[in-house]
């Protein structure tokens, strides 16, 4: 809690996701995945991001509800999202700085408390079999954040 000129403010530490496993590196080294903003209901700007992705490469985000306790080796990468709970594979956009982004706006009526895991994979000539992948990130959808009291 903090006190400001407009009243009392609740300050809540936001959980933005937990990292699981390690990247299968590519040309630019390890790929790091993270959430682009708070995974809360009503956040229409929510996105999943990955850094150090080859520019111009086809990149996909693999989404599911859980991660594996032991990685699944496939095509030279370690798959970390549990295929038994998979939502699917979605194409991601990559900018000139090697940042991949999958925009996934969260509607205000989206279920709160839903577990989601994701991992990025890219076609990468420096990957062990032509692919590289990020770590996985697990998160839980949250209710809309509280605003300051009047």
């Amino acid at each position: 809690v903090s006190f400001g000129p407009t009243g009392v403010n609740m300050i809540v530490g936001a959980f933005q996701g937990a990292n699981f496993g390690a990247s299968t590196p590519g040309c630019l080294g390890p790929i790091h995945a993270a959430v682009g903003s708070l995974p809360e209901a009503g956040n229409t700007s929510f996105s999943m991001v990955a850094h150090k992705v080859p520019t111009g490469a086809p990149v996909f985000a693999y989404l599911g509800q859980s991660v594996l306790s032991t990685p699944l080796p496939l095509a030279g990468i370690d798959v970390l999202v549990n295929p038994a709970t998979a939502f699917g594979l979605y194409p991601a956009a990559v900018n000139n700085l090697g940042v991949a982004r999958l925009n996934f706006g969260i509607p205000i009526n989206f279920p709160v408390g839903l577990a989601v895991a994701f991992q990025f994979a890219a076609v990468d000539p420096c990957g062990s079999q032509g692919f590289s992948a990020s770590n996985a990130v697990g998160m839980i959808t949250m209710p809309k954040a509280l605003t300051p009291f009047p």
Side-chain angles (χ1 to χ4, degrees):
V1 175
S2 72
F3 299 92
T6 59
V8 178
N9 296 307
M10 294 290 292
I11 301 173
V12 179
F15 170 74
Q16 296 227 356
N19 292 318
F20 294 92
S23 167
T24 306
C27 293
L28 300 175
I31 298 173
H32 178 72
V35 294
S37 60
L38 194 61
E40 67 179 352
N43 183 356
T44 57
S45 300
F46 177 74
S47 63
M48 293 160 257
V49 296
H51 305 273
K52 295 188 178 180
V53 177
T55 57
V59 178
F60 297 90
Y62 185 43
L63 277 66
Q65 279 194 290
S66 64
V67 294
L68 295 165
S69 57
T70 304
L72 174 66
L74 179 68
I77 63 172
D78 284 339
V79 175
L80 301 165
V81 174
N82 188 344
T85 67
F87 297 135
L89 195 62
Y90 301 89
V94 182
N95 68 18
N96 294 347
L97 300 174
V99 177
R101 180 177 301 275
L102 176 62
N103 295 322
F104 191 86
I106 303 174
I108 193 70
N109 60 349
F110 197 79
V112 171
L114 179 67
V116 178
F118 65 90
Q119 178 180 20
F120 285 86
V123 174
D124 190 331
C126 301
S128 68
Q129 292 182 23
F131 296 95
S132 58
S134 71
N135 58 295
V137 175
M139 61 184 179
I140 297 175
T141 57
M142 303 171 61
K144 183 80 175 151
L146 298 175
T147 56
F149 295 112

